[in-house]
Amino acid sequence: MTNTLKKLTSILLLLFLAPIIIAIIQTPLMTETTTEKVTEKKKEEIPVVYAAQIETPPVTQTQTVAEILPPRKAFVYFTHWQEAFKPILAASGEKIEIYHQEKNITNFQEQITAQFAFHQVETEFLSLENPSETKNYNSVRPFVKDALSQSNYDIILDIHRDSAKAATTTLQVGEESYAKLMFVVGGEHENYKWNLQLANKLTEELNTLVPGIARKVTVKVGDGVDGVYNQDLNKNSALIELGGIDSTEVELNRSIAILAKAISNILNEQVVS
């Protein structure tokens, strides 16, 4: 009886352990190689993002606002296009005058275009078959008005040369000199404050870039002045006095570069804000 009980107990124990033994035999050991394969499989399941999949790359610290945004557009003209500079005429052996039919302020169109383009501002100039037709604000007005009706511009510039002498129109910074700039606003039209606001902003920006390069904004009203300067045609119009009769070509080129930077900063600040 005792032997029979022992045999029965052994059989039951074997039946209980059999599934466990079979599972151990069929399941491979978790070796180092197996672990690597599992890890590789998990890696394959994780999606990989390549640089080419990013449609818009992040902006780096070296990129400026002007480089990110589309180019701004400036319309430029010269009401008093014959205005000349004494040192430039002297350098070419010309008679020293303050007005010249060929060597005058319009000769700086190429420099203006290049500097503005460098700061992502496209420039278009008023093109006239016969410039002698435009000698004052009234005669140039219909041409400017027509140009503005055909395209949209972010800023309109009427560039002049001041009649003041070097003591007023020259800035010395270390070994470099600049032609000072000044904005003139006509206060005799209904919306002149828009023009004044732009002139003040540009003056402030210019003096931030090169302290003292911009003179105080002048608002003109009353007898003996135009009082409008065609600035009523667009709120973003500005009349600029670029240097004076004694300004040199180098001084003028330096100031045009600073003007381009200031205009770009102001225009793109308006877009961002």
Side-chain angles (χ1 to χ4, degrees), residues 9-66:
T9 303
S10 299
I11 293 170
L12 292 172
L13 182 60
L14 181 62
L15 291 173
F16 175 79
L17 295 175
I20 299 174
I21 295 170
I22 293 170
I24 293 173
I25 293 172
Q26 291 180 344
T27 304
L29 294 175
M30 188 65 71
T31 62
E32 184 177 348
T33 304
T34 306
T35 304
E36 290 176 355
K37 290 182 179 179
V38 173
T39 304
E40 288 176 1
K41 185 178 180 181
K42 288 183 178 180
K43 286 183 178 179
E44 290 174 357
E45 293 174 352
I46 300 174
V48 180
V49 179
Y50 296 97
Q53 292 176 288
I54 304 174
E55 295 181 0
T56 305
V59 177
T60 63
Q61 292 182 349
T62 57
Q63 287 180 291
T64 64
V65 172

Short mmCIF file of all heavy atoms in Angstrom, two decimals, residues 9-66:
data_model
loop_
_atom_site.label_atom_id
_atom_site.label_comp_id
_atom_site.label_asym_id
_atom_site.label_seq_id
_atom_site.Cartn_x
_atom_site.Cartn_y
_atom_site.Cartn_z
N THR A 9 2.25 9.30 -6.19
CA THR A 9 2.74 10.66 -5.90
C THR A 9 3.78 11.08 -6.93
O THR A 9 3.79 12.22 -7.42
CB THR A 9 3.34 10.73 -4.49
OG1 THR A 9 2.35 10.33 -3.56
CG2 THR A 9 3.78 12.14 -4.16
N SER A 10 4.66 10.17 -7.30
CA SER A 10 5.71 10.46 -8.28
C SER A 10 5.12 10.77 -9.66
O SER A 10 5.58 11.68 -10.37
CB SER A 10 6.68 9.26 -8.39
OG SER A 10 7.30 9.01 -7.14
N ILE A 11 4.08 10.02 -10.02
CA ILE A 11 3.43 10.24 -11.31
C ILE A 11 2.77 11.62 -11.37
O ILE A 11 2.89 12.36 -12.35
CB ILE A 11 2.40 9.13 -11.59
CG1 ILE A 11 3.13 7.79 -11.81
CG2 ILE A 11 1.56 9.47 -12.83
CD1 ILE A 11 2.20 6.59 -11.86
N LEU A 12 2.08 11.96 -10.29
CA LEU A 12 1.41 13.27 -10.22
C LEU A 12 2.42 14.42 -10.29
O LEU A 12 2.19 15.45 -10.95
CB LEU A 12 0.57 13.37 -8.95
CG LEU A 12 -0.65 12.45 -8.88
CD1 LEU A 12 -1.30 12.51 -7.49
CD2 LEU A 12 -1.68 12.84 -9.96
N LEU A 13 3.54 14.26 -9.58
CA LEU A 13 4.59 15.30 -9.58
C LEU A 13 5.19 15.46 -10.97
O LEU A 13 5.43 16.59 -11.44
CB LEU A 13 5.68 14.93 -8.57
CG LEU A 13 6.83 15.95 -8.42
CD1 LEU A 13 6.30 17.30 -7.96
CD2 LEU A 13 7.86 15.41 -7.42
N LEU A 14 5.37 14.34 -11.68
CA LEU A 14 5.93 14.40 -13.03
C LEU A 14 4.99 15.10 -13.99
O LEU A 14 5.40 15.90 -14.83
CB LEU A 14 6.22 12.97 -13.51
CG LEU A 14 6.83 12.82 -14.91
CD1 LEU A 14 8.19 13.53 -14.98
CD2 LEU A 14 6.99 11.36 -15.27
N LEU A 15 3.69 14.77 -13.84
CA LEU A 15 2.70 15.42 -14.70
C LEU A 15 2.65 16.94 -14.45
O LEU A 15 2.43 17.73 -15.36
CB LEU A 15 1.32 14.80 -14.45
CG LEU A 15 1.15 13.34 -14.93
CD1 LEU A 15 -0.21 12.79 -14.48
CD2 LEU A 15 1.26 13.25 -16.45
N PHE A 16 2.86 17.35 -13.20
CA PHE A 16 2.82 18.78 -12.84
C PHE A 16 4.03 19.54 -13.39
O PHE A 16 3.93 20.67 -13.87
CB PHE A 16 2.76 18.92 -11.31
CG PHE A 16 2.84 20.35 -10.84
CD1 PHE A 16 1.72 21.17 -10.88
CD2 PHE A 16 4.03 20.88 -10.35
CE1 PHE A 16 1.77 22.47 -10.45
CE2 PHE A 16 4.07 22.17 -9.92
CZ PHE A 16 2.96 22.99 -9.96
N LEU A 17 5.18 18.90 -13.37
CA LEU A 17 6.42 19.57 -13.80
C LEU A 17 6.66 19.50 -15.31
O LEU A 17 7.46 20.26 -15.84
CB LEU A 17 7.63 18.95 -13.06
CG LEU A 17 7.67 19.15 -11.54
CD1 LEU A 17 8.83 18.38 -10.94
CD2 LEU A 17 7.78 20.64 -11.22
N ALA A 18 5.99 18.57 -15.96
CA ALA A 18 6.24 18.36 -17.39
C ALA A 18 6.08 19.64 -18.24
O ALA A 18 6.96 19.97 -19.05
CB ALA A 18 5.35 17.25 -17.90
N PRO A 19 4.99 20.43 -18.12
CA PRO A 19 4.84 21.65 -18.94
C PRO A 19 5.96 22.66 -18.72
O PRO A 19 6.40 23.33 -19.64
CB PRO A 19 3.48 22.20 -18.51
CG PRO A 19 2.77 21.03 -17.93
CD PRO A 19 3.81 20.19 -17.28
N ILE A 20 6.40 22.75 -17.46
CA ILE A 20 7.47 23.71 -17.13
C ILE A 20 8.76 23.31 -17.81
O ILE A 20 9.48 24.13 -18.37
CB ILE A 20 7.64 23.81 -15.61
CG1 ILE A 20 6.34 24.31 -14.96
CG2 ILE A 20 8.79 24.73 -15.26
CD1 ILE A 20 6.36 24.31 -13.45
N ILE A 21 9.07 22.03 -17.77
CA ILE A 21 10.30 21.52 -18.37
C ILE A 21 10.27 21.72 -19.88
O ILE A 21 11.25 22.15 -20.49
CB ILE A 21 10.49 20.03 -18.03
CG1 ILE A 21 10.70 19.88 -16.52
CG2 ILE A 21 11.67 19.44 -18.78
CD1 ILE A 21 10.65 18.44 -16.03
N ILE A 22 9.14 21.46 -20.52
CA ILE A 22 9.00 21.62 -21.98
C ILE A 22 9.19 23.07 -22.39
O ILE A 22 9.86 23.39 -23.36
CB ILE A 22 7.63 21.09 -22.44
CG1 ILE A 22 7.57 19.57 -22.25
CG2 ILE A 22 7.38 21.45 -23.91
CD1 ILE A 22 6.18 18.98 -22.45
N ALA A 23 8.62 24.03 -21.62
CA ALA A 23 8.72 25.46 -21.93
C ALA A 23 10.16 25.94 -21.87
O ALA A 23 10.63 26.72 -22.69
CB ALA A 23 7.85 26.26 -20.97
N ILE A 24 10.88 25.43 -20.86
CA ILE A 24 12.29 25.82 -20.70
C ILE A 24 13.12 25.31 -21.85
O ILE A 24 13.98 26.00 -22.39
CB ILE A 24 12.85 25.28 -19.36
CG1 ILE A 24 12.16 26.00 -18.19
CG2 ILE A 24 14.37 25.47 -19.28
CD1 ILE A 24 12.51 25.43 -16.84
N ILE A 25 12.84 24.07 -22.30
CA ILE A 25 13.60 23.47 -23.40
C ILE A 25 13.35 24.21 -24.71
O ILE A 25 14.25 24.47 -25.48
CB ILE A 25 13.23 21.97 -23.55
CG1 ILE A 25 13.70 21.20 -22.32
CG2 ILE A 25 13.85 21.38 -24.82
CD1 ILE A 25 13.22 19.77 -22.27
N GLN A 26 12.08 24.67 -24.96
CA GLN A 26 11.72 25.31 -26.22
C GLN A 26 12.12 26.78 -26.27
O GLN A 26 12.25 27.36 -27.34
CB GLN A 26 10.21 25.18 -26.47
CG GLN A 26 9.77 23.75 -26.76
CD GLN A 26 8.28 23.65 -27.01
OE1 GLN A 26 7.54 24.57 -26.68
NE2 GLN A 26 7.86 22.53 -27.56
N THR A 27 12.29 27.44 -25.13
CA THR A 27 12.61 28.87 -25.09
C THR A 27 14.11 29.07 -25.08
O THR A 27 14.79 28.59 -24.16
CB THR A 27 12.00 29.53 -23.83
OG1 THR A 27 10.62 29.28 -23.83
CG2 THR A 27 12.28 31.03 -23.84
N PRO A 28 14.70 29.77 -26.10
CA PRO A 28 16.14 29.97 -26.13
C PRO A 28 16.59 30.90 -25.01
O PRO A 28 15.84 31.75 -24.56
CB PRO A 28 16.38 30.60 -27.50
CG PRO A 28 15.10 31.28 -27.84
CD PRO A 28 14.02 30.42 -27.24
N LEU A 29 17.82 30.73 -24.60
CA LEU A 29 18.37 31.58 -23.56
C LEU A 29 18.55 33.00 -24.09
O LEU A 29 18.86 33.21 -25.26
CB LEU A 29 19.72 31.03 -23.09
CG LEU A 29 19.66 29.67 -22.37
CD1 LEU A 29 21.07 29.18 -22.07
CD2 LEU A 29 18.84 29.76 -21.09
N MET A 30 18.35 34.03 -23.28
CA MET A 30 18.50 35.43 -23.66
C MET A 30 19.98 35.78 -23.64
O MET A 30 20.50 36.34 -22.67
CB MET A 30 17.71 36.33 -22.69
CG MET A 30 17.65 37.79 -23.14
SD MET A 30 16.76 38.02 -24.68
CE MET A 30 15.10 37.71 -24.14
N THR A 31 20.63 35.42 -24.73
CA THR A 31 22.07 35.67 -24.80
C THR A 31 22.32 37.11 -25.21
O THR A 31 21.41 37.87 -25.56
CB THR A 31 22.71 34.74 -25.84
OG1 THR A 31 22.13 35.04 -27.12
CG2 THR A 31 22.48 33.29 -25.49
N GLU A 32 23.59 37.50 -25.23
CA GLU A 32 23.98 38.85 -25.61
C GLU A 32 23.58 39.15 -27.05
O GLU A 32 23.11 40.23 -27.38
CB GLU A 32 25.49 39.02 -25.43
CG GLU A 32 25.97 40.45 -25.71
CD GLU A 32 27.46 40.59 -25.44
OE1 GLU A 32 28.04 39.67 -24.84
OE2 GLU A 32 28.01 41.61 -25.83
N THR A 33 23.75 38.13 -27.93
CA THR A 33 23.39 38.30 -29.35
C THR A 33 21.91 38.54 -29.51
O THR A 33 21.46 39.39 -30.28
CB THR A 33 23.80 37.05 -30.15
OG1 THR A 33 25.19 36.81 -29.96
CG2 THR A 33 23.48 37.25 -31.62
N THR A 34 21.12 37.79 -28.75
CA THR A 34 19.67 37.97 -28.81
C THR A 34 19.27 39.36 -28.37
O THR A 34 18.39 39.99 -28.94
CB THR A 34 18.98 36.92 -27.93
OG1 THR A 34 19.42 35.63 -28.30
CG2 THR A 34 17.48 37.00 -28.08
N THR A 35 19.90 39.85 -27.32
CA THR A 35 19.60 41.19 -26.81
C THR A 35 19.88 42.24 -27.86
O THR A 35 19.11 43.18 -28.05
CB THR A 35 20.45 41.48 -25.55
OG1 THR A 35 20.21 40.46 -24.59
CG2 THR A 35 20.08 42.83 -24.96
N GLU A 36 20.96 42.09 -28.60
CA GLU A 36 21.32 43.04 -29.64
C GLU A 36 20.28 43.06 -30.75
O GLU A 36 19.91 44.11 -31.26
CB GLU A 36 22.70 42.68 -30.23
CG GLU A 36 23.83 42.94 -29.24
CD GLU A 36 25.17 42.47 -29.81
OE1 GLU A 36 25.16 41.89 -30.92
OE2 GLU A 36 26.19 42.70 -29.16
N LYS A 37 19.77 41.82 -31.11
CA LYS A 37 18.76 41.75 -32.16
C LYS A 37 17.48 42.43 -31.75
O LYS A 37 16.84 43.12 -32.54
CB LYS A 37 18.49 40.28 -32.51
CG LYS A 37 19.66 39.61 -33.24
CD LYS A 37 19.32 38.18 -33.60
CE LYS A 37 20.46 37.50 -34.35
NZ LYS A 37 20.16 36.10 -34.70
N VAL A 38 17.08 42.25 -30.52
CA VAL A 38 15.87 42.90 -30.03
C VAL A 38 16.02 44.40 -30.03
O VAL A 38 15.14 45.16 -30.42
CB VAL A 38 15.53 42.38 -28.60
CG1 VAL A 38 14.38 43.19 -28.03
CG2 VAL A 38 15.18 40.91 -28.65
N THR A 39 17.20 44.87 -29.61
CA THR A 39 17.46 46.30 -29.57
C THR A 39 17.42 46.90 -30.96
O THR A 39 16.87 47.97 -31.19
CB THR A 39 18.84 46.57 -28.93
OG1 THR A 39 18.87 45.97 -27.65
CG2 THR A 39 19.09 48.07 -28.81
N GLU A 40 18.03 46.17 -31.95
CA GLU A 40 18.03 46.64 -33.32
C GLU A 40 16.61 46.72 -33.88
O GLU A 40 16.26 47.66 -34.59
CB GLU A 40 18.87 45.69 -34.19
CG GLU A 40 20.36 45.82 -33.93
CD GLU A 40 21.16 44.80 -34.72
OE1 GLU A 40 20.53 44.01 -35.47
OE2 GLU A 40 22.39 44.79 -34.58
N LYS A 41 15.78 45.74 -33.51
CA LYS A 41 14.40 45.75 -33.98
C LYS A 41 13.65 46.96 -33.45
O LYS A 41 12.90 47.62 -34.16
CB LYS A 41 13.71 44.46 -33.56
CG LYS A 41 12.29 44.34 -34.12
CD LYS A 41 11.66 43.02 -33.73
CE LYS A 41 10.24 42.93 -34.30
NZ LYS A 41 9.58 41.67 -33.94
N LYS A 42 13.88 47.27 -32.17
CA LYS A 42 13.22 48.43 -31.57
C LYS A 42 13.67 49.71 -32.25
O LYS A 42 12.91 50.64 -32.46
CB LYS A 42 13.50 48.48 -30.07
CG LYS A 42 12.77 47.41 -29.29
CD LYS A 42 13.03 47.55 -27.80
CE LYS A 42 12.26 46.50 -26.99
NZ LYS A 42 12.51 46.63 -25.55
N LYS A 43 14.97 49.78 -32.59
CA LYS A 43 15.49 50.96 -33.26
C LYS A 43 14.83 51.14 -34.62
O LYS A 43 14.54 52.26 -35.04
CB LYS A 43 17.00 50.85 -33.43
CG LYS A 43 17.79 51.06 -32.14
CD LYS A 43 19.28 51.01 -32.40
CE LYS A 43 20.07 51.26 -31.12
NZ LYS A 43 21.53 51.19 -31.38
N GLU A 44 14.61 50.02 -35.32
CA GLU A 44 14.00 50.10 -36.64
C GLU A 44 12.58 50.61 -36.57
O GLU A 44 12.08 51.22 -37.50
CB GLU A 44 14.02 48.71 -37.30
CG GLU A 44 15.41 48.25 -37.69
CD GLU A 44 15.41 46.81 -38.20
OE1 GLU A 44 14.33 46.19 -38.19
OE2 GLU A 44 16.47 46.34 -38.59
N GLU A 45 11.92 50.37 -35.45
CA GLU A 45 10.53 50.80 -35.31
C GLU A 45 10.42 52.29 -35.03
O GLU A 45 9.36 52.88 -35.17
CB GLU A 45 9.87 50.00 -34.18
CG GLU A 45 9.72 48.51 -34.51
CD GLU A 45 9.20 47.73 -33.31
OE1 GLU A 45 9.11 48.34 -32.22
OE2 GLU A 45 8.89 46.54 -33.46
N ILE A 46 11.55 52.95 -34.61
CA ILE A 46 11.53 54.38 -34.30
C ILE A 46 11.73 55.18 -35.59
O ILE A 46 12.73 55.00 -36.27
CB ILE A 46 12.64 54.73 -33.29
CG1 ILE A 46 12.44 53.95 -32.00
CG2 ILE A 46 12.65 56.23 -33.02
CD1 ILE A 46 13.56 54.11 -31.01
N PRO A 47 10.79 56.07 -36.00
CA PRO A 47 10.95 56.84 -37.24
C PRO A 47 12.13 57.80 -37.16
O PRO A 47 12.31 58.47 -36.16
CB PRO A 47 9.62 57.60 -37.36
CG PRO A 47 9.11 57.68 -35.96
CD PRO A 47 9.56 56.42 -35.28
N VAL A 48 12.94 57.89 -38.21
CA VAL A 48 14.10 58.76 -38.26
C VAL A 48 13.75 60.00 -39.07
O VAL A 48 13.25 59.90 -40.18
CB VAL A 48 15.30 58.04 -38.89
CG1 VAL A 48 16.51 58.98 -38.93
CG2 VAL A 48 15.64 56.79 -38.11
N VAL A 49 14.01 61.20 -38.53
CA VAL A 49 13.73 62.46 -39.22
C VAL A 49 15.02 62.99 -39.82
O VAL A 49 15.97 63.29 -39.10
CB VAL A 49 13.13 63.51 -38.26
CG1 VAL A 49 12.87 64.81 -38.98
CG2 VAL A 49 11.84 62.96 -37.64
N TYR A 50 15.06 63.10 -41.14
CA TYR A 50 16.24 63.61 -41.82
C TYR A 50 16.07 65.10 -42.09
O TYR A 50 14.95 65.62 -42.14
CB TYR A 50 16.46 62.87 -43.14
CG TYR A 50 16.77 61.40 -42.96
CD1 TYR A 50 15.77 60.44 -43.07
CD2 TYR A 50 18.06 60.98 -42.66
CE1 TYR A 50 16.04 59.09 -42.91
CE2 TYR A 50 18.34 59.62 -42.49
CZ TYR A 50 17.33 58.69 -42.61
OH TYR A 50 17.60 57.37 -42.44
N ALA A 51 17.19 65.80 -42.28
CA ALA A 51 17.15 67.24 -42.54
C ALA A 51 16.33 67.55 -43.78
O ALA A 51 15.65 68.57 -43.85
CB ALA A 51 18.57 67.78 -42.70
N ALA A 52 16.38 66.66 -44.78
CA ALA A 52 15.65 66.89 -46.03
C ALA A 52 14.14 66.86 -45.83
O ALA A 52 13.40 67.38 -46.66
CB ALA A 52 16.05 65.85 -47.06
N GLN A 53 13.68 66.26 -44.73
CA GLN A 53 12.25 66.17 -44.49
C GLN A 53 11.69 67.46 -43.88
O GLN A 53 10.49 67.64 -43.82
CB GLN A 53 11.94 65.00 -43.55
CG GLN A 53 12.21 63.63 -44.18
CD GLN A 53 11.98 62.54 -43.18
OE1 GLN A 53 12.76 62.36 -42.25
NE2 GLN A 53 10.91 61.79 -43.33
N ILE A 54 12.58 68.35 -43.43
CA ILE A 54 12.14 69.61 -42.82
C ILE A 54 11.95 70.63 -43.92
O ILE A 54 12.90 71.09 -44.54
CB ILE A 54 13.17 70.12 -41.79
CG1 ILE A 54 13.42 69.04 -40.72
CG2 ILE A 54 12.69 71.40 -41.13
CD1 ILE A 54 14.52 69.39 -39.76
N GLU A 55 10.70 71.02 -44.18
CA GLU A 55 10.41 71.92 -45.30
C GLU A 55 10.95 73.32 -45.06
O GLU A 55 11.47 73.97 -45.95
CB GLU A 55 8.90 71.97 -45.54
CG GLU A 55 8.32 70.63 -46.01
CD GLU A 55 6.84 70.72 -46.25
OE1 GLU A 55 6.28 71.82 -46.07
OE2 GLU A 55 6.25 69.71 -46.63
N THR A 56 10.80 73.85 -43.85
CA THR A 56 11.26 75.19 -43.53
C THR A 56 12.34 75.11 -42.47
O THR A 56 12.05 74.80 -41.32
CB THR A 56 10.10 76.07 -43.00
OG1 THR A 56 9.05 76.05 -43.96
CG2 THR A 56 10.57 77.49 -42.76
N PRO A 57 13.60 75.35 -42.83
CA PRO A 57 14.68 75.26 -41.85
C PRO A 57 14.55 76.35 -40.80
O PRO A 57 14.03 77.43 -41.08
CB PRO A 57 15.95 75.46 -42.69
CG PRO A 57 15.47 76.23 -43.88
CD PRO A 57 14.08 75.75 -44.14
N PRO A 58 14.97 76.09 -39.58
CA PRO A 58 14.88 77.11 -38.54
C PRO A 58 15.77 78.31 -38.85
O PRO A 58 16.80 78.16 -39.53
CB PRO A 58 15.38 76.37 -37.29
CG PRO A 58 16.24 75.28 -37.83
CD PRO A 58 15.60 74.86 -39.11
N VAL A 59 15.36 79.50 -38.40
CA VAL A 59 16.13 80.72 -38.65
C VAL A 59 17.35 80.74 -37.74
O VAL A 59 17.25 80.52 -36.53
CB VAL A 59 15.25 81.96 -38.36
CG1 VAL A 59 16.08 83.23 -38.56
CG2 VAL A 59 14.04 81.95 -39.28
N THR A 60 18.51 80.98 -38.33
CA THR A 60 19.73 81.05 -37.53
C THR A 60 19.93 82.46 -37.01
O THR A 60 19.34 83.42 -37.51
CB THR A 60 20.95 80.64 -38.37
OG1 THR A 60 21.10 81.58 -39.44
CG2 THR A 60 20.77 79.25 -38.95
N GLN A 61 20.79 82.60 -36.04
CA GLN A 61 21.02 83.91 -35.44
C GLN A 61 21.70 84.86 -36.40
O GLN A 61 21.64 86.07 -36.23
CB GLN A 61 21.88 83.74 -34.18
CG GLN A 61 21.17 83.02 -33.05
CD GLN A 61 22.02 82.91 -31.81
OE1 GLN A 61 23.21 83.20 -31.84
NE2 GLN A 61 21.42 82.52 -30.71
N THR A 62 22.34 84.35 -37.44
CA THR A 62 23.05 85.21 -38.38
C THR A 62 22.12 85.80 -39.42
O THR A 62 22.48 86.73 -40.12
CB THR A 62 24.16 84.43 -39.09
OG1 THR A 62 23.58 83.30 -39.76
CG2 THR A 62 25.21 83.97 -38.11
N GLN A 63 20.89 85.30 -39.55
CA GLN A 63 19.95 85.83 -40.52
C GLN A 63 19.24 87.06 -39.97
O GLN A 63 18.81 87.07 -38.82
CB GLN A 63 18.91 84.78 -40.90
CG GLN A 63 19.44 83.68 -41.80
CD GLN A 63 18.35 82.69 -42.14
OE1 GLN A 63 17.88 81.96 -41.28
NE2 GLN A 63 17.96 82.67 -43.39
N THR A 64 19.14 88.11 -40.78
CA THR A 64 18.44 89.31 -40.37
C THR A 64 17.00 89.23 -40.85
O THR A 64 16.65 88.41 -41.69
CB THR A 64 19.10 90.56 -40.98
OG1 THR A 64 18.97 90.50 -42.40
CG2 THR A 64 20.58 90.64 -40.59
N VAL A 65 16.18 90.12 -40.29
CA VAL A 65 14.77 90.17 -40.70
C VAL A 65 14.66 90.46 -42.19
O VAL A 65 13.85 89.89 -42.91
CB VAL A 65 14.02 91.24 -39.88
CG1 VAL A 65 12.61 91.43 -40.42
CG2 VAL A 65 13.98 90.85 -38.41
N ALA A 66 15.51 91.37 -42.68
CA ALA A 66 15.47 91.75 -44.09
C ALA A 66 15.77 90.57 -45.01
O ALA A 66 15.26 90.48 -46.12
CB ALA A 66 16.47 92.88 -44.36
#
